[in-house]
Amino acid sequence: MPSYKLYYFNVRSRAEVSRLIFAAAGEKYEDVRYEQDEWPAHKDEMPLGQIPVLEVDGVKLPQSRTIARYLAKQFHLAGKDNFEQAKVDAVVDTIYDLLNAFATPFFEKDEAKKEELTKKFLSEELPKHLQNFETLGKLYGNGGHFFVDNQLTWADLLFYNYIQSFMEFKADCLNNFPWLQQNRAEVEKQPKIAEYLKNRPNLQF
Amino acid sequence: MSSSTIYSLHYFNGRGRAEATRLIFAQAGQKFEDLRHTQDEWAKLKGQMPLGQIPVLEFDGEKLPQSLAIARYAARKTKLAGKDDLESAKCDVIVDTMQEVNEAYYHAWFHIKDAQQKETEQTKFKSDTLPQKLTGLETLMNKFGNGTWAVGDNVTWADLLVFDSIQNVLKIDDQALEKHATLKKNHEAVKKLPNIAAYLANRKETAF
């Protein structure tokens, strides 16, 4: 059995999908959470000077998307064959496209401009992205409510985590997307996920 | 890959987000339909693609969007994704890091319309983003590879995607690899792969 150590800050953000994967799989790992003032002392220990990093049997892997894909593969949450894994990857990449699009308003320094851009994004851009997710779910979901082949994969867990953050900004953003609402409900219902969600620290992002 | 299945790669007439997959197919000697759509053709096809975007890999009645999902699928099929899951993950780390450079490049060179902002972003790319990421890639190749190949002892899709991306980088700064011995050696090694050399010799120059 390999030993896993996940290094990140004490936030959800880029590591939460991996924590959800461990939880869904019922697998143990060391969940290292650095405080902001602790991090500088450890920066040079990480290959790219960034976290999250997954250490597996002494090998350090940076890049949150890669970490999640690797863990999902180990725990059978990545899709059952190459093509299913590719469909999962396509959903995942579409989620990251949404995050990258939101970066512009999110990182705007001028407060007034930020508020304006964020409002515009949430009302005009976000629905287009959400429509894309519904399209993929209906195309690949094989009639079920998980994104790929009617089975839980890390695509569902990634979507669950990041839409939670968007719902902090706009609580009703999924109102016109029943399939997506159902998808999140299915994730929350999984017993090991429900247990994890009940016990995890309450973090805003 | 199955010999009876026809793989059609839909994109525009350019390297862009499809070239990594074309290089993977070339290295593997895998036949595919290299569809290069004009803007008019694309306007008619757009509604048929899952996300209204290309590249899309079409085969057996299925359509797969997202350039990296396509490339990784092709790499796994043609055994260019490392010898086990950990090597595959190391390929993905290098790909993700190179892709950060690519996205910053697309943003600063193609997405921004405001001239002042464009200049600021391009300067930032050349002075901050690019040097930092190339140093990171050099570190990763030294950790994961054998001094020639990015991961392990053989060519993988990480080498091919990096090769394609570095071609854009060299257009911006032709000295970019001089500080990075492993990246430079890796770049030369990819060029010398027989199937890649043949592919590059026949490849027509495109605008992007």
Side-chain angles (χ1 to χ4, degrees):
Chain A
M1 263 302 294
S3 73
Y4 298 106
K5 208 162 164 177
L6 182 65
Y7 300 89
Y8 196 47
F9 297 111
N10 187 24
V11 292
R12 294 188 288 111
S13 195
R14 294 182 187 276
E16 194 66 9
V17 61
S18 291
R19 296 184 187 123
L20 285 164
I21 291 166
F22 278 121
E27 292 284 343
K28 285 189 172 31
Y29 68 110
E30 209 182 323
D31 185 10
V32 177
R33 297 176 186 235
Y34 290 132
E35 296 302 324
Q36 289 290 341
D37 56 5
E38 269 184 284
W39 165 236
H42 295 281
K43 197 172 151 76
D44 287 343
E45 294 165 13
M46 305 303 172
L48 297 176
Q50 296 171 336
I51 42 182
V53 159
L54 177 73
E55 190 172 339
V56 47
D57 283 346
V59 178
K60 286 194 170 81
L61 296 176
Q63 296 291 7
S64 58
R65 210 182 309 200
T66 293
I67 291 167
R69 183 181 301 106
Y70 175 77
L71 290 171
K73 186 97 202 299
Q74 304 318 296
F75 307 141
H76 311 292
L77 288 167
K80 68 179 192 294
D81 58 30
N82 188 11
F83 187 35
E84 272 195 18
Q85 287 160 27
K87 290 186 237 186
V88 171
D89 285 343
V91 175
V92 163
D93 285 356
T94 307
I95 295 168
Y96 281 102
D97 283 350
L98 165 59
L99 298 176
N100 289 335
F102 189 56
T104 306
F106 189 72
F107 290 113
E108 173 59 51
K109 294 197 166 48
D110 178 294
E111 277 301 323
K113 195 170 177 203
K114 178 174 171 150
E115 194 175 326
E116 185 201 326
L117 288 175
T118 301
K119 205 166 152 205
K120 186 162 186 256
F121 185 91
L122 293 173
S123 59
E124 293 174 22
E125 289 303 310
L126 180 59
K128 292 182 201 164
H129 290 272
L130 294 175
Q131 186 55 60
N132 279 341
F133 297 133
E134 281 226 345
T135 299
L136 291 180
K138 288 170 186 167
L139 185 62
Y140 296 149
N142 208 10
H145 281 283
F146 295 115
F147 276 108
V148 177
D149 201 38
N150 203 12
Q151 305 243 332
L152 179 73
T153 66
W154 69 290
D156 303 292
L157 301 177
L158 187 75
F159 181 77
Y160 183 84
N161 181 57
Y162 280 113
I163 292 302
Q164 181 178 344
S165 301
F166 279 105
M167 286 165 81
E168 303 266 347
F169 284 102
K170 191 173 195 292
D172 65 354
C173 63
L174 291 189
N175 273 12
N176 294 330
F177 301 97
W179 192 94
L180 296 178
Q181 287 181 44
Q182 188 81 15
N183 171 267
R184 293 192 85 244
E186 290 295 330
V187 168
E188 279 174 341
K189 262 175 18 190
Q190 305 293 303
K192 294 193 183 113
I193 303 279
E195 186 65 27
Y196 173 74
L197 294 176
K198 205 172 65 178
N199 292 319
R200 73 174 176 181
N202 189 11
L203 298 163
Q204 196 204 2
F205 80 103
Chain B
M1 293 172 110
S2 143
S3 57
S4 56
T5 304
I6 295 173
Y7 295 91
S8 304
L9 183 63
H10 294 266
Y11 196 54
F12 299 112
N13 184 27
R15 293 189 293 114
R17 294 179 187 276
E19 195 67 8
T21 297
R22 295 189 187 117
L23 289 167
I24 292 164
F25 284 147
Q27 172 59 20
Q30 170 66 47
K31 282 190 172 41
F32 71 105
E33 268 194 310
D34 185 10
L35 302 173
R36 295 167 183 252
H37 300 301
T38 62
Q39 287 293 341
D40 286 344
E41 285 166 355
W42 171 235
K44 294 190 195 112
L45 272 174
K46 195 174 152 84
Q48 295 172 37
M49 298 304 175
L51 302 175
Q53 295 171 339
I54 41 182
V56 159
L57 185 67
E58 185 174 4
F59 61 100
D60 290 340
E62 303 270 8
K63 290 188 174 83
L64 183 68
Q66 294 291 2
S67 59
L68 293 186
I70 293 167
R72 188 178 300 104
Y73 172 78
R76 284 195 289 237
K77 275 288 194 183
T78 57
K79 305 211 187 323
L80 285 170
K83 69 179 197 289
D84 55 29
D85 285 349
L86 191 56
E87 278 200 357
S88 295
K90 290 173 183 174
C91 290
D92 287 347
V93 171
I94 287 176
V95 162
D96 282 357
T97 306
M98 189 77 248
Q99 196 64 11
E100 286 173 14
V101 174
N102 292 334
E103 294 299 339
Y105 165 67
Y106 298 146
H107 183 68
W109 265 260
F110 297 107
H111 296 165
I112 298 177
K113 304 294 172 205
D114 177 88
Q116 176 84 314
Q117 205 194 347
K118 193 166 177 148
E119 170 144 1
T120 306
E121 290 295 327
Q122 288 186 4
T123 303
K124 185 175 158 220
F125 178 86
K126 285 185 257 195
S127 61
D128 294 345
T129 312
L130 183 60
Q132 189 204 19
K133 295 293 173 189
L134 289 181
T135 300
L137 282 165
E138 180 80 0
T139 300
L140 291 174
M141 284 205 188
N142 286 336
K143 271 191 201 300
F144 294 159
N146 70 348
T148 299
W149 302 118
V151 177
D153 296 318
N154 288 300
V155 63
T156 63
W157 73 293
D159 302 294
L160 303 178
L161 186 136
V162 167
F163 178 80
D164 181 53
S165 309
I166 294 293
Q167 295 208 298
N168 294 333
V169 167
L170 290 173
K171 282 194 194 149
I172 294 165
D173 175 8
D174 62 7
Q175 300 299 298
L177 297 188
E178 295 312 305
K179 290 199 192 100
H180 305 291
T182 306
L183 285 177
K184 190 168 179 194
K185 199 167 169 207
N186 176 260
H187 194 74
E188 296 305 313
V190 171
K191 261 196 231 175
K192 291 202 181 86
L193 290 164
N195 288 354
I196 298 297
Y199 173 77
L200 294 175
N202 290 319
R203 184 173 74 178
K204 294 188 176 65
E205 187 74 27
T206 49
F208 62 96

